[in-house]
Amino acid sequence: MKLKLVFIFCLLFFIFGFSQDSIPRYKWLRTGFTFGYASQNTFIKQDSDYTFESKIFKFSNHFKLHRSNKNHFEILIEPSYYRSQHQMINFWFISHTVENGDELRAKYMALKSINEYVLNVGIVYRRLLSSNSSVFAVLNTGPMYIDTDTERLKKGFAFSDILALGYNFRYKNVSFDAKCMFRHVSNANLQTPNFGLNSVGFEFGSYFELQ
């Protein structure tokens, strides 16, 4: 988990250092809203110990980083809100030797709603297919606050990591995209428990093109 903290720090340092040194050239490209859905087991069976699903709302902002022919690199800054539901379904995930085990099982096996507040920052690689369409990959990470304890993750500060692949179509000054995404949430062992929460899903976005 220390490696994860180092990676996050280096990514944020690179993005902000690079963009601040080159503010006149690295312009705001597009801004818009993204909506989506992700879950722990709906699309890909990942873990039988729990269920986890999220409705996703994002304010997405892309900034020019580097362009070379059909290859574009962008900075992504994305304040996000996740309205999630979680339930522990494996009775024995909490061992019978744990103090107050029955009380904890009753608490965590109840379906609960969770609010997640996230600030993701990352890199977008975009490959142009034509003047108005492209495919892209996204790698981003950032700090977040989760407002509910689960058996897998402590309430409070954590990190949200996302890998996504998508397609974008532009028409005049607006564009639309669709992407598949994998998300991992954990706190880098800053608190316990830290088993993490995973989900796979899709997002749809609409944007106003500024360049």
Side-chain angles (χ1 to χ4, degrees):
M1 289 303 172
K2 289 183 179 179
L3 182 60
K4 178 178 179 179
L5 285 174
V6 172
F7 170 75
I8 292 171
F9 175 80
C10 290
L11 177 61
L12 294 176
F13 180 82
F14 169 77
I15 290 171
F16 286 114
F18 200 103
S19 60
Q20 287 177 8
D21 288 342
S22 310
I23 288 175
R25 289 185 295 157
Y26 296 88
K27 297 180 179 180
W28 199 356
L29 297 176
R30 69 186 60 84
T31 183
F33 294 95
T34 300
F35 308 93
Y37 172 83
S39 72
Q40 199 273 132
N41 277 328
T42 301
F43 304 103
I44 299 176
K45 188 72 173 178
Q46 301 168 59
D47 197 318
S48 59
D49 290 333
Y50 69 103
T51 63
F52 179 65
E53 60 180 28
S54 303
K55 295 178 181 178
I56 306 165
F57 308 90
K58 298 180 176 181
F59 176 45
S60 186
N61 300 275
H62 294 240
F63 299 84
K64 177 183 172 184
L65 182 60
H66 177 71
R67 288 185 177 181
S68 176
N69 296 322
K70 294 185 177 182
N71 300 304
H72 293 189
F73 293 87
E74 302 165 6
I75 298 169
L76 175 64
I77 299 178
E78 203 166 52
S80 309
Y81 169 68
Y82 294 77
R83 179 64 173 175
S84 303
Q85 288 191 321
H86 170 274
Q87 184 177 25
M88 186 180 82
I89 56 177
N90 179 3
F91 183 86
W92 295 112
F93 187 84
I94 298 176
S95 171
H96 68 281
T97 60
V98 173
E99 185 178 357
N100 300 324
D102 291 338
E103 179 182 342
L104 291 174
R105 290 189 195 98
K107 175 182 178 182
Y108 294 133
M109 293 189 78
L111 182 65
K112 58 181 63 64
S113 295
I114 299 172
N115 296 298
E116 304 174 61
Y117 308 93
V118 185
L119 178 59
N120 272 118
V121 179
I123 297 291
V124 178
Y125 166 68
R126 186 179 305 277
R127 173 71 177 182
L128 299 186
L129 302 177
S130 67
S131 60
N132 60 1
S133 67
S134 63
V135 292
F136 61 90
V138 179
L139 177 63
N140 66 31
T141 188
M144 61 170 285
Y145 177 81
I146 184 169
D147 72 350
T148 304
D149 281 326
T150 71
E151 82 285 358
R152 304 190 63 84
L153 193 65
K154 182 70 174 176
K155 169 184 175 181
F157 182 80
F159 296 98
S160 173
D161 308 320
I162 295 174
L163 174 64
L165 300 173
Y167 172 81
N168 178 274
F169 178 80
R170 176 172 178 170
Y171 178 73
K172 295 183 178 179
N173 290 329
V174 297
S175 66
F176 307 91
D177 70 23
K179 56 182 173 286
C180 297
M181 47 84 74
F182 169 76
R183 180 175 182 239
H184 173 72
V185 176
S186 61
N187 61 33
N189 284 334
L190 298 176
Q191 302 184 86
T192 56
N194 182 41
F195 296 103
L197 297 164
N198 297 321
S199 57
V200 174
F202 56 87
E203 296 178 359
F204 299 101
S206 58
Y207 307 88
F208 181 70
E209 296 288 336
L210 303 173
Q211 298 292 321

